[in-house]
Coordinates of all heavy atoms in Angstrom, one line a residue:
M786 N -5.9 10.7 13.7 CA -6.0 11.6 12.6 C -5.3 11.0 11.4 O -4.2 10.5 11.5 CB -5.4 13.0 12.9 CG -5.5 14.0 11.8 SD -4.6 15.5 12.1 CE -5.2 16.0 13.6
C787 N -5.8 11.2 10.2 CA -5.2 10.7 9.0 C -4.8 11.8 8.2 O -5.6 12.6 7.6 CB -6.2 9.8 8.3 SG -5.5 8.9 6.9
L788 N -3.5 12.0 8.0 CA -2.9 13.1 7.2 C -2.4 12.5 5.9 O -2.2 11.3 5.8 CB -1.8 13.7 8.0 CG -2.1 14.3 9.4 CD1 -0.9 14.8 10.1 CD2 -3.0 15.5 9.2
G789 N -2.1 13.4 5.0 CA -1.5 13.0 3.8 C 0.0 12.8 4.1 O 0.6 13.5 5.0
I790 N 0.6 11.8 3.4 CA 2.0 11.6 3.6 C 2.7 11.5 2.3 O 2.2 10.9 1.3 CB 2.2 10.3 4.5 CG1 3.7 10.1 4.9 CG2 1.7 9.1 3.8 CD1 3.8 9.2 6.1
P791 N 3.9 12.0 2.2 CA 4.7 12.0 0.9 C 5.2 10.6 0.5 O 5.6 9.9 1.4 CB 5.8 12.9 1.1 CG 5.5 13.7 2.3 CD 4.6 12.9 3.1
G792 N 5.1 10.3 -0.7 CA 5.6 9.0 -1.3 C 6.0 9.2 -2.7 O 5.6 10.1 -3.4
R793 N 7.0 8.4 -3.1 CA 7.5 8.4 -4.5 C 6.8 7.3 -5.3 O 6.8 6.1 -4.9 CB 9.0 8.3 -4.5 CG 9.5 8.4 -6.0 CD 11.0 8.4 -6.0 NE 11.4 9.8 -6.1 CZ 12.6 10.3 -6.0 NH1 13.6 9.4 -5.8 NH2 12.9 11.5 -6.1
I794 N 6.3 7.7 -6.5 CA 5.7 6.7 -7.4 C 6.9 5.9 -8.0 O 7.8 6.4 -8.6 CB 4.9 7.3 -8.5 CG1 3.7 8.0 -7.8 CG2 4.4 6.3 -9.5 CD1 2.8 8.8 -8.8
V795 N 6.8 4.5 -7.8 CA 7.9 3.7 -8.3 C 7.5 2.7 -9.4 O 8.4 2.2 -10.1 CB 8.5 2.8 -7.1 CG1 9.1 3.7 -6.1 CG2 7.4 1.9 -6.5
A796 N 6.2 2.6 -9.7 CA 5.7 1.7 -10.8 C 4.3 1.9 -11.1 O 3.5 2.4 -10.2 CB 6.0 0.2 -10.4
V797 N 3.9 1.5 -12.2 CA 2.5 1.5 -12.6 C 1.9 0.1 -12.3 O 2.5 -0.9 -12.7 CB 2.3 1.8 -14.1 CG1 0.8 1.7 -14.5 CG2 2.8 3.2 -14.5
A798 N 0.9 0.1 -11.5 CA 0.3 -1.2 -11.2 C -0.8 -1.6 -12.2 O -0.9 -2.8 -12.5 CB -0.3 -1.1 -9.8
D799 N -1.6 -0.7 -12.6 CA -2.7 -1.0 -13.5 C -3.1 0.3 -14.2 O -3.8 1.2 -13.6 CB -3.9 -1.5 -12.7 CG -5.1 -2.0 -13.6 OD1 -5.2 -1.4 -14.7 OD2 -5.8 -2.9 -13.2
E800 N -2.7 0.5 -15.5 CA -2.9 1.7 -16.2 C -4.4 2.0 -16.4 O -4.8 3.1 -16.2 CB -2.2 1.5 -17.6 CG -2.4 2.7 -18.5 CD -1.2 3.6 -18.6 OE1 -0.1 3.2 -18.3 OE2 -1.3 4.8 -18.9
E801 N -5.2 1.0 -16.7 CA -6.6 1.2 -17.0 C -7.3 1.6 -15.7 O -8.2 2.5 -15.8 CB -7.2 -0.1 -17.5 CG -8.6 0.0 -18.0 CD -9.2 -1.2 -18.6 OE1 -8.5 -1.8 -19.5 OE2 -10.3 -1.7 -18.2
A802 N -7.0 1.0 -14.6 CA -7.6 1.4 -13.3 C -7.0 2.6 -12.7 O -7.4 3.1 -11.6 CB -7.5 0.2 -12.3
M803 N -6.0 3.2 -13.3 CA -5.3 4.4 -12.8 C -4.6 4.2 -11.4 O -4.7 5.0 -10.5 CB -6.3 5.6 -12.7 CG -7.0 6.0 -14.0 SD -5.9 6.8 -15.2 CE -5.7 8.4 -14.4
L804 N -3.9 3.1 -11.3 CA -3.2 2.7 -10.1 C -1.7 2.6 -10.2 O -1.2 2.1 -11.2 CB -3.7 1.3 -9.6 CG -5.2 1.2 -9.3 CD1 -5.6 -0.2 -9.0 CD2 -5.6 2.2 -8.1
C805 N -1.0 3.2 -9.3 CA 0.4 3.1 -9.3 C 0.9 2.6 -7.9 O 0.2 2.7 -6.9 CB 1.0 4.5 -9.5 SG 0.9 5.0 -11.3
V806 N 2.2 2.2 -7.9 CA 2.8 1.7 -6.6 C 3.6 2.9 -6.1 O 4.4 3.5 -6.8 CB 3.7 0.5 -6.8 CG1 4.4 0.2 -5.5 CG2 2.9 -0.6 -7.4
V807 N 3.4 3.3 -4.8 CA 4.1 4.4 -4.2 C 4.9 3.8 -3.0 O 4.5 2.9 -2.3 CB 3.0 5.4 -3.6 CG1 3.7 6.5 -2.8 CG2 2.3 6.0 -4.8
D808 N 6.1 4.3 -2.9 CA 7.0 4.0 -1.8 C 7.0 5.1 -0.8 O 7.4 6.2 -1.2 CB 8.4 3.7 -2.4 CG 9.4 3.3 -1.3 OD1 9.7 4.1 -0.4 OD2 9.9 2.1 -1.4
V809 N 6.6 4.8 0.4 CA 6.7 5.8 1.5 C 7.6 5.2 2.5 O 7.3 4.3 3.3 CB 5.2 6.0 2.1 CG1 5.3 7.0 3.2 CG2 4.3 6.4 1.0
S810 N 8.8 5.8 2.5 CA 9.9 5.4 3.5 C 10.0 3.8 3.6 O 10.1 3.3 4.6 CB 9.5 5.9 4.9 OG 9.5 7.3 4.8
G811 N 10.0 3.2 2.4 CA 10.3 1.8 2.4 C 9.0 0.9 2.4 O 9.1 -0.3 2.1
V812 N 7.9 1.5 2.6 CA 6.6 0.8 2.6 C 5.9 1.1 1.2 O 5.8 2.2 0.8 CB 5.6 1.2 3.7 CG1 4.3 0.5 3.6 CG2 6.3 1.0 5.1
R813 N 5.6 0.0 0.5 CA 5.0 0.2 -0.8 C 3.5 -0.2 -0.8 O 3.2 -1.2 -0.3 CB 5.8 -0.7 -1.9 CG 7.2 -0.1 -2.1 CD 7.9 -0.9 -3.2 NE 9.1 -0.2 -3.4 CZ 9.8 -0.3 -4.5 NH1 9.4 -1.1 -5.5 NH2 11.0 0.4 -4.7
R814 N 2.8 0.7 -1.4 CA 1.3 0.5 -1.5 C 0.8 0.9 -2.9 O 1.4 1.8 -3.5 CB 0.6 1.3 -0.5 CG 0.6 0.7 0.9 CD -0.3 -0.6 1.0 NE 0.0 -1.3 2.2 CZ 0.5 -2.5 2.2 NH1 0.8 -3.2 1.1 NH2 0.7 -3.1 3.3
T815 N -0.3 0.3 -3.3 CA -0.9 0.7 -4.5 C -1.9 1.8 -4.2 O -2.6 1.8 -3.3 CB -1.7 -0.5 -5.1 OG1 -0.8 -1.6 -5.4 CG2 -2.3 -0.1 -6.5
V816 N -1.8 2.9 -5.0 CA -2.7 4.1 -4.8 C -3.3 4.5 -6.1 O -2.8 4.3 -7.2 CB -1.9 5.3 -4.1 CG1 -1.3 4.9 -2.8 CG2 -0.8 5.8 -5.1
D817 N -4.4 5.1 -6.0 CA -5.2 5.7 -7.1 C -4.5 7.0 -7.5 O -4.3 7.9 -6.6 CB -6.6 5.8 -6.7 CG -7.5 6.2 -7.9 OD1 -7.2 7.1 -8.6 OD2 -8.6 5.5 -8.0
V818 N -4.2 7.2 -8.7 CA -3.5 8.4 -9.2 C -4.4 9.3 -10.1 O -3.9 10.2 -10.8 CB -2.2 8.1 -9.9 CG1 -1.2 7.5 -8.9 CG2 -2.4 7.2 -11.1
V819 N -5.7 9.0 -10.1 CA -6.6 9.8 -11.0 C -6.5 11.3 -10.7 O -6.7 12.1 -11.7 CB -8.1 9.2 -10.9 CG1 -8.7 9.6 -9.5 CG2 -8.9 9.7 -12.0
C820 N -6.3 11.7 -9.5 CA -6.2 13.2 -9.2 C -4.9 13.8 -9.7 O -4.9 15.1 -9.8 CB -6.3 13.4 -7.7 SG -7.9 12.9 -7.0
V821 N -3.9 13.1 -10.0 CA -2.6 13.7 -10.4 C -2.2 13.3 -11.8 O -1.2 13.8 -12.3 CB -1.5 13.3 -9.4 CG1 -1.8 13.8 -8.0 CG2 -1.2 11.8 -9.4
A822 N -2.9 12.4 -12.4 CA -2.5 12.0 -13.8 C -2.9 13.0 -14.8 O -3.9 13.8 -14.7 CB -3.3 10.7 -14.1
T823 N -2.1 13.2 -15.8 CA -2.3 14.1 -16.9 C -3.2 13.4 -17.9 O -2.9 12.3 -18.4 CB -1.0 14.5 -17.6 OG1 -0.1 15.1 -16.6 CG2 -1.2 15.5 -18.7
P824 N -4.3 14.0 -18.3 CA -5.2 13.4 -19.3 C -4.5 13.0 -20.6 O -3.6 13.8 -21.0 CB -6.3 14.4 -19.6 CG -6.3 15.3 -18.3 CD -4.8 15.3 -17.9
D825 N -4.7 11.8 -21.1 CA -4.2 11.3 -22.3 C -2.7 11.0 -22.3 O -2.1 10.8 -23.3 CB -4.5 12.2 -23.5 CG -6.0 12.4 -23.7 OD1 -6.7 11.4 -23.5 OD2 -6.4 13.5 -24.0
A826 N -2.0 11.1 -21.1 CA -0.6 10.8 -21.0 C -0.5 9.4 -20.3 O -1.3 9.1 -19.4 CB 0.1 11.8 -20.1
P827 N 0.5 8.6 -20.7 CA 0.6 7.3 -20.0 C 1.0 7.5 -18.5 O 1.7 8.5 -18.2 CB 1.7 6.6 -20.8 CG 2.4 7.7 -21.5 CD 1.5 8.8 -21.7
L828 N 0.6 6.6 -17.7 CA 0.9 6.7 -16.3 C 2.4 6.6 -15.9 O 2.8 7.1 -14.9 CB 0.1 5.7 -15.4 CG -1.4 5.9 -15.3 CD1 -2.0 4.9 -14.4 CD2 -1.7 7.3 -14.9
D829 N 3.1 6.0 -16.8 CA 4.6 5.9 -16.5 C 5.3 7.2 -16.5 O 6.4 7.3 -16.0 CB 5.3 4.9 -17.4 CG 5.3 5.2 -18.9 OD1 4.7 6.3 -19.3 OD2 5.8 4.4 -19.7
T830 N 4.6 8.3 -17.0 CA 5.2 9.6 -16.8 C 5.3 10.1 -15.4 O 6.0 11.0 -15.0 CB 4.5 10.6 -17.7 OG1 3.1 10.7 -17.3 CG2 4.5 10.3 -19.2
L831 N 4.5 9.4 -14.5 CA 4.5 9.7 -13.1 C 5.5 9.0 -12.3 O 5.9 9.4 -11.2 CB 3.1 9.4 -12.5 CG 1.9 10.2 -12.9 CD1 0.6 9.6 -12.4 CD2 2.1 11.7 -12.4
V832 N 6.1 7.9 -12.9 CA 7.1 7.2 -12.1 C 8.3 8.1 -11.8 O 8.8 8.8 -12.7 CB 7.6 5.9 -12.9 CG1 8.8 5.2 -12.3 CG2 6.4 5.0 -13.1
G833 N 8.7 8.1 -10.5 CA 9.8 8.9 -10.0 C 9.3 10.2 -9.4 O 10.1 10.9 -8.7
R834 N 8.0 10.5 -9.6 CA 7.5 11.8 -9.0 C 7.0 11.6 -7.6 O 6.6 10.5 -7.2 CB 6.2 12.2 -9.8 CG 6.4 12.5 -11.3 CD 7.3 13.7 -11.7 NE 6.9 14.9 -11.1 CZ 6.1 15.8 -11.7 NH1 5.6 15.6 -12.9 NH2 5.7 16.9 -11.1
W835 N 7.1 12.6 -6.8 CA 6.7 12.6 -5.4 C 5.2 13.1 -5.4 O 4.8 14.0 -6.1 CB 7.5 13.5 -4.5 CG 8.8 13.0 -4.2 CD1 10.0 13.2 -4.9 CD2 9.2 12.2 -3.1 NE1 11.0 12.5 -4.4 CE2 10.6 11.9 -3.2 CE3 8.5 11.7 -2.0 CZ2 11.2 11.1 -2.3 CZ3 9.1 10.9 -1.1 CH2 10.5 10.6 -1.2
V836 N 4.4 12.4 -4.6 CA 3.0 12.7 -4.4 C 2.6 12.7 -2.9 O 3.3 12.1 -2.1 CB 2.1 11.8 -5.2 CG1 2.2 11.9 -6.7 CG2 2.3 10.3 -4.7
L837 N 1.6 13.5 -2.6 CA 1.0 13.5 -1.3 C -0.1 12.4 -1.3 O -1.1 12.6 -2.0 CB 0.5 14.9 -0.9 CG 0.2 15.1 0.5 CD1 1.4 14.9 1.4 CD2 -0.3 16.5 0.7
V838 N 0.0 11.4 -0.5 CA -0.9 10.3 -0.4 C -1.9 10.5 0.8 O -1.4 10.7 1.9 CB -0.2 8.9 -0.3 CG1 -1.2 7.8 -0.3 CG2 0.7 8.8 -1.5
H839 N -3.2 10.3 0.5 CA -4.2 10.4 1.6 C -5.2 9.4 1.3 O -5.8 9.4 0.2 CB -4.8 11.8 1.6 CG -5.9 12.0 2.6 ND1 -5.6 12.0 4.0 CD2 -7.2 12.2 2.5 CE1 -6.7 12.1 4.6 NE2 -7.7 12.3 3.8
V840 N -5.5 8.5 2.2 CA -6.5 7.4 2.2 C -6.5 6.7 0.8 O -7.5 6.4 0.2 CB -7.9 7.9 2.6 CG1 -7.9 8.2 4.0 CG2 -8.4 9.0 1.7
G841 N -5.3 6.3 0.4 CA -5.2 5.5 -0.8 C -5.2 6.3 -2.2 O -5.3 5.7 -3.2
F842 N -5.2 7.6 -2.1 CA -5.2 8.4 -3.3 C -4.0 9.3 -3.3 O -3.7 9.9 -2.3 CB -6.5 9.3 -3.4 CG -7.7 8.5 -3.7 CD1 -8.4 7.9 -2.6 CD2 -8.2 8.4 -5.0 CE1 -9.6 7.2 -2.9 CE2 -9.3 7.7 -5.2 CZ -10.0 7.1 -4.2
A843 N -3.4 9.5 -4.5 CA -2.3 10.5 -4.6 C -3.1 11.8 -4.9 O -3.8 11.9 -5.9 CB -1.4 10.2 -5.8
M844 N -3.0 12.7 -4.0 CA -3.8 13.9 -4.0 C -3.2 15.1 -4.8 O -3.9 15.9 -5.3 CB -4.2 14.4 -2.6 CG -5.0 13.4 -1.8 SD -6.5 12.8 -2.7 CE -7.5 14.3 -2.6
S845 N -1.8 15.2 -4.7 CA -1.1 16.2 -5.5 C 0.3 15.8 -5.7 O 0.9 15.0 -5.0 CB -1.2 17.5 -4.7 OG -0.5 17.4 -3.4
V846 N 0.9 16.3 -6.7 CA 2.3 16.1 -7.0 C 3.1 17.2 -6.2 O 2.7 18.4 -6.2 CB 2.6 16.2 -8.5 CG1 4.1 16.1 -8.8 CG2 1.8 15.2 -9.3
I847 N 4.2 16.8 -5.6 CA 5.0 17.7 -4.8 C 6.5 17.5 -5.2 O 6.8 16.4 -5.8 CB 4.8 17.5 -3.3 CG1 5.1 16.1 -2.8 CG2 3.4 17.9 -2.9 CD1 5.1 15.9 -1.3
D848 N 7.3 18.4 -4.9 CA 8.7 18.2 -5.2 C 9.4 17.5 -4.1 O 8.9 17.3 -3.0 CB 9.4 19.5 -5.6 CG 9.5 20.5 -4.5 OD1 9.7 20.1 -3.3 OD2 9.4 21.7 -4.8
E849 N 10.7 17.0 -4.3 CA 11.4 16.2 -3.3 C 11.7 17.0 -2.1 O 11.6 16.5 -1.0 CB 12.7 15.7 -3.9 CG 13.4 14.8 -3.1 CD 14.6 14.1 -3.8 OE1 14.9 14.4 -4.9 OE2 15.2 13.2 -3.1
D850 N 12.0 18.3 -2.2 CA 12.2 19.1 -1.0 C 11.0 19.2 -0.1 O 11.0 19.2 1.1 CB 12.7 20.5 -1.4 CG 14.1 20.5 -2.0 OD1 14.8 19.6 -1.7 OD2 14.4 21.5 -2.7
E851 N 9.8 19.4 -0.7 CA 8.6 19.5 0.0 C 8.3 18.2 0.7 O 7.8 18.1 1.8 CB 7.4 19.9 -0.9 CG 6.1 20.1 -0.2 CD 5.0 20.6 -1.1 OE1 5.2 20.9 -2.3 OE2 3.8 20.7 -0.6
A852 N 8.6 17.1 0.0 CA 8.3 15.8 0.5 C 9.2 15.6 1.8 O 8.7 15.1 2.8 CB 8.7 14.7 -0.5
A853 N 10.5 15.9 1.7 CA 11.4 15.8 2.9 C 10.9 16.6 4.0 O 10.9 16.2 5.2 CB 12.8 16.1 2.4
A854 N 10.5 17.9 3.7 CA 10.1 18.8 4.8 C 8.8 18.3 5.5 O 8.7 18.3 6.7 CB 9.9 20.2 4.2
T855 N 7.9 17.8 4.7 CA 6.6 17.3 5.2 C 6.9 16.0 6.1 O 6.3 15.9 7.2 CB 5.6 16.9 4.1 OG1 5.4 18.1 3.3 CG2 4.3 16.4 4.6
L856 N 7.7 15.1 5.6 CA 8.0 13.9 6.4 C 8.7 14.3 7.7 O 8.4 13.8 8.8 CB 8.9 13.0 5.6 CG 8.2 12.1 4.6 CD1 9.3 11.4 3.7 CD2 7.3 11.1 5.2
K857 N 9.5 15.3 7.7 CA 10.2 15.8 8.9 C 9.2 16.4 9.9 O 9.2 16.0 11.1 CB 11.2 16.9 8.5 CG 12.0 17.4 9.7 CD 13.0 18.5 9.4 CE 13.7 19.0 10.6 NZ 14.1 20.3 10.6
V858 N 8.3 17.2 9.4 CA 7.2 17.8 10.3 C 6.3 16.7 10.9 O 6.0 16.7 12.1 CB 6.4 18.8 9.5 CG1 5.2 19.2 10.4 CG2 7.2 20.1 9.2
L859 N 5.9 15.7 10.0 CA 5.1 14.6 10.5 C 5.8 13.8 11.6 O 5.1 13.4 12.5 CB 4.6 13.7 9.3 CG 3.6 14.3 8.3 CD1 3.4 13.4 7.2 CD2 2.3 14.7 9.0
T860 N 7.1 13.6 11.4 CA 7.8 12.9 12.4 C 7.9 13.7 13.7 O 7.7 13.1 14.8 CB 9.2 12.6 11.9 OG1 9.1 11.8 10.7 CG2 10.1 11.8 12.9
E861 N 8.1 15.0 13.6 CA 8.3 15.8 14.8 C 7.0 15.9 15.6 O 7.0 16.0 16.8 CB 8.7 17.2 14.4 CG 10.1 17.3 13.9 CD 10.5 18.6 13.3 OE1 9.7 19.5 13.2 OE2 11.7 18.8 13.0
I862 N 5.8 15.9 14.9 CA 4.6 16.0 15.6 C 4.0 14.6 16.0 O 2.9 14.5 16.5 CB 3.5 16.8 14.9 CG1 3.1 16.2 13.5 CG2 4.0 18.3 14.7 CD1 1.9 16.9 12.8
G863 N 4.7 13.6 15.6 CA 4.3 12.2 16.0 C 3.3 11.6 15.1 O 2.7 10.5 15.4
E864 N 3.0 12.2 13.9 CA 2.0 11.6 13.0 C 2.6 10.6 12.0 O 1.8 9.8 11.5 CB 1.2 12.7 12.3 CG 0.3 13.5 13.2 CD -0.8 12.7 13.7 OE1 -1.3 11.8 13.1 OE2 -1.3 13.1 14.8
A865 N 3.9 10.7 11.8 CA 4.4 9.9 10.7 C 4.3 8.4 11.1 O 4.0 7.5 10.2 CB 5.9 10.2 10.5
A866 N 4.5 8.0 12.4 CA 4.4 6.6 12.8 C 3.0 6.1 12.5 O 2.9 4.9 12.1 CB 4.8 6.5 14.3
A867 N 2.0 6.9 12.9 CA 0.6 6.4 12.6 C 0.3 6.2 11.1 O -0.3 5.2 10.7 CB -0.4 7.4 13.2
E868 N 0.8 7.1 10.3 CA 0.6 7.0 8.9 C 1.3 5.8 8.3 O 0.8 5.1 7.5 CB 1.0 8.3 8.2 CG 0.2 9.5 8.5 CD -1.3 9.3 8.1 OE1 -1.5 8.9 6.9 OE2 -2.1 9.6 8.9
M869 N 2.6 5.6 8.8 CA 3.4 4.4 8.3 C 2.7 3.1 8.7 O 2.7 2.2 8.0 CB 4.8 4.5 8.8 CG 5.6 5.7 8.2 SD 5.7 5.6 6.4 CE 6.5 4.1 6.2
E870 N 2.2 3.1 9.9 CA 1.5 1.9 10.4 C 0.3 1.6 9.6 O 0.0 0.5 9.2 CB 1.1 2.0 11.9 CG 0.5 0.8 12.5 CD 0.2 0.9 13.9 OE1 0.9 1.6 14.7 OE2 -0.9 0.4 14.4
A871 N -0.5 2.6 9.2 CA -1.6 2.5 8.4 C -1.3 2.0 7.0 O -1.9 1.1 6.5 CB -2.4 3.8 8.3
L872 N -0.2 2.5 6.5 CA 0.3 2.0 5.1 C 0.7 0.6 5.2 O 0.4 -0.2 4.4 CB 1.4 2.9 4.6 CG 1.0 4.2 4.0 CD1 2.3 5.1 3.8 CD2 0.3 4.0 2.7
A873 N 1.5 0.3 6.3 CA 2.1 -1.1 6.4 C 1.0 -2.1 6.6 O 1.1 -3.2 6.1 CB 3.1 -1.1 7.5
S874 N -0.1 -1.7 7.3 CA -1.2 -2.7 7.6 C -2.1 -2.8 6.3 O -2.9 -3.7 6.3 CB -2.0 -2.2 8.7 OG -2.8 -1.0 8.4
G875 N -1.9 -1.9 5.4 CA -2.8 -2.0 4.2 C -4.1 -1.3 4.3 O -4.9 -1.3 3.4
S876 N -4.3 -0.6 5.4 CA -5.6 0.1 5.6 C -5.8 1.3 4.7 O -6.9 1.8 4.5 CB -5.8 0.5 7.1 OG -4.8 1.4 7.4
L877 N -4.7 1.7 4.0 CA -4.8 2.8 3.1 C -4.7 2.3 1.6 O -4.7 3.1 0.7 CB -3.7 3.8 3.3 CG -3.7 4.5 4.7 CD1 -2.6 5.6 4.7 CD2 -5.1 5.2 4.9
D878 N -4.7 1.0 1.4 CA -4.6 0.4 0.1 C -6.0 0.3 -0.6 O -6.8 -0.3 -0.1 CB -4.0 -0.9 0.2 CG -3.6 -1.5 -1.1 OD1 -4.1 -1.1 -2.2 OD2 -2.7 -2.4 -1.1
P879 N -6.2 1.1 -1.7 CA -7.5 1.0 -2.4 C -7.8 -0.4 -2.9 O -9.0 -0.7 -3.2 CB -7.4 2.0 -3.5 CG -5.9 2.1 -3.8 CD -5.2 1.9 -2.4
L880 N -6.9 -1.3 -3.0 CA -7.1 -2.6 -3.5 C -7.4 -3.6 -2.3 O -7.7 -4.8 -2.6 CB -6.0 -3.1 -4.3 CG -5.7 -2.3 -5.6 CD1 -4.6 -2.9 -6.4 CD2 -7.0 -2.3 -6.5
A881 N -7.2 -3.2 -1.1 CA -7.3 -4.0 0.1 C -8.8 -4.5 0.2 O -9.7 -3.7 0.0 CB -6.8 -3.3 1.3
T882 N -8.9 -5.7 0.7 CA -10.3 -6.2 0.9 C -10.7 -5.7 2.3 O -10.0 -5.9 3.3 CB -10.3 -7.7 0.9 OG1 -9.8 -8.1 -0.4 CG2 -11.7 -8.3 1.1
P883 N -11.9 -5.1 2.4 CA -12.3 -4.7 3.8 C -12.4 -5.8 4.7 O -12.8 -6.9 4.4 CB -13.7 -4.1 3.5 CG -13.8 -3.8 2.0 CD -12.8 -4.8 1.4
A884 N -12.1 -5.6 6.0 CA -12.2 -6.6 7.0 C -13.7 -6.9 7.3 O -14.5 -6.0 7.2 CB -11.5 -6.1 8.3
A885 N -14.0 -8.2 7.6 CA -15.4 -8.6 7.9 C -15.7 -8.3 9.3 O -15.0 -8.2 10.1 CB -15.5 -10.0 7.5

């Protein structure tokens, strides 16, 4: 099962393509932020914000307490490890080249 996992936006990767770098428990990946970006605002306003990441997209902005609680629940139900493995392998990276 692929669930959303909290991560903190740490950098803008490509403003024009709406991509930012998200840190999820030490694993960094480029994600699409089109769903959470404010129209006409620079993407760097998102740096430092927590987001819920699902299949390479930041789906919603969440606060730090919600991020911690969600990571705790995912760990307790055993889903955090699978999500972290998917992030580490790059399978959730929208810039990753599909395997042949």
Side-chain angles (χ1 to χ4, degrees):
M786 178 188 306
C787 187
L788 300 171
I790 191 163
R793 179 174 264 174
I794 296 175
V795 295
V797 174
D799 185 332
E800 181 102 21
E801 188 174 312
M803 304 285 290
L804 300 172
C805 286
V806 177
V807 173
D808 184 294
V809 179
S810 299
V812 176
R813 291 186 175 200
R814 282 289 168 242
T815 302
V816 299
D817 190 308
V818 295
V819 71
C820 295
V821 298
T823 303
D825 301 321
L828 289 186
D829 63 1
T830 61
L831 290 172
V832 173
R834 303 291 305 268
W835 285 90
V836 292
L837 193 59
V838 178
H839 178 68
V840 294
F842 289 85
M844 299 305 293
S845 62
V846 175
I847 58 175
D848 65 34
E849 188 170 4
D850 291 338
E851 184 178 354
T855 301
L856 283 170
K857 181 179 180 212
V858 169
L859 290 174
T860 300
E861 289 172 355
I862 65 171
E864 290 294 330
E868 293 299 312
M869 292 304 298
E870 185 177 324
L872 280 169
S874 71
S876 63
L877 297 183
D878 189 343
L880 297 180
T882 303

